[in-house]
Amino acid sequence: MTYYREKAAFLLQSPPPTYLLTAYWEGKLAAVAELFPSNQETAGIYNVSTLASARGKGIGTQIMAATIQLAKEKGFKYLILQATEEGINIYKKQGFQAVSTYLEFA
């Protein structure tokens, strides 16, 4: 609850500070990414997805680069994300470093 008490004013501002980025390939939506600020200095990158038919074309790399660029333009100093095995190399190429690991059960 402390987190929400401390962050409520920031997270509930109008307009909301969430950004959804989209990428198109051959006229069709091919990839998405979400930039969600936690505070004035830190934002998380979430829901990065590329259609299977659009993979291997650099679209995931491009949407990540665009998301990072937007974060810089908005003044964020820190970016965080959770990586899957499928996406970890894209994130490493963009300069992200692993700081911890976790195991998720379905």
Side-chain angles (χ1 to χ4, degrees):
M1 293 302 291
T2 302
Y3 172 82
Y4 292 104
R5 277 193 291 276
E6 292 175 359
K7 306 302 180 197
F10 178 77
L11 296 172
L12 296 173
Q13 67 182 312
S14 183
T18 302
Y19 306 91
L20 180 63
L21 291 85
T22 56
Y24 290 81
W25 178 259
E26 297 180 343
K28 295 180 182 177
L29 182 62
V32 296
E34 178 184 0
L35 180 66
F36 185 87
S38 297
N39 56 44
Q40 282 84 1
E41 292 187 332
T42 306
I45 298 175
Y46 300 100
N47 302 314
V48 179
S49 301
T50 303
L51 287 176
S53 61
R55 292 182 185 150
K57 297 173 175 49
I59 297 169
T61 299
Q62 289 178 351
I63 201 161
M64 279 301 299
T67 305
I68 293 166
Q69 181 60 39
L70 176 62
K72 288 179 182 177
E73 290 171 7
K74 297 296 179 183
F76 296 107
K77 293 181 182 179
Y78 308 102
L79 289 173
I80 58 172
L81 56 78
Q82 295 173 339
T84 63
E85 291 293 323
E86 296 166 318
I88 197 164
N89 288 330
I90 290 173
Y91 307 136
K92 285 181 177 180
K93 288 177 186 176
Q94 298 281 350
F96 286 88
Q97 299 175 9
V99 295
S100 68
T101 59
Y102 69 96
L103 182 59
E104 184 175 277
F105 292 97

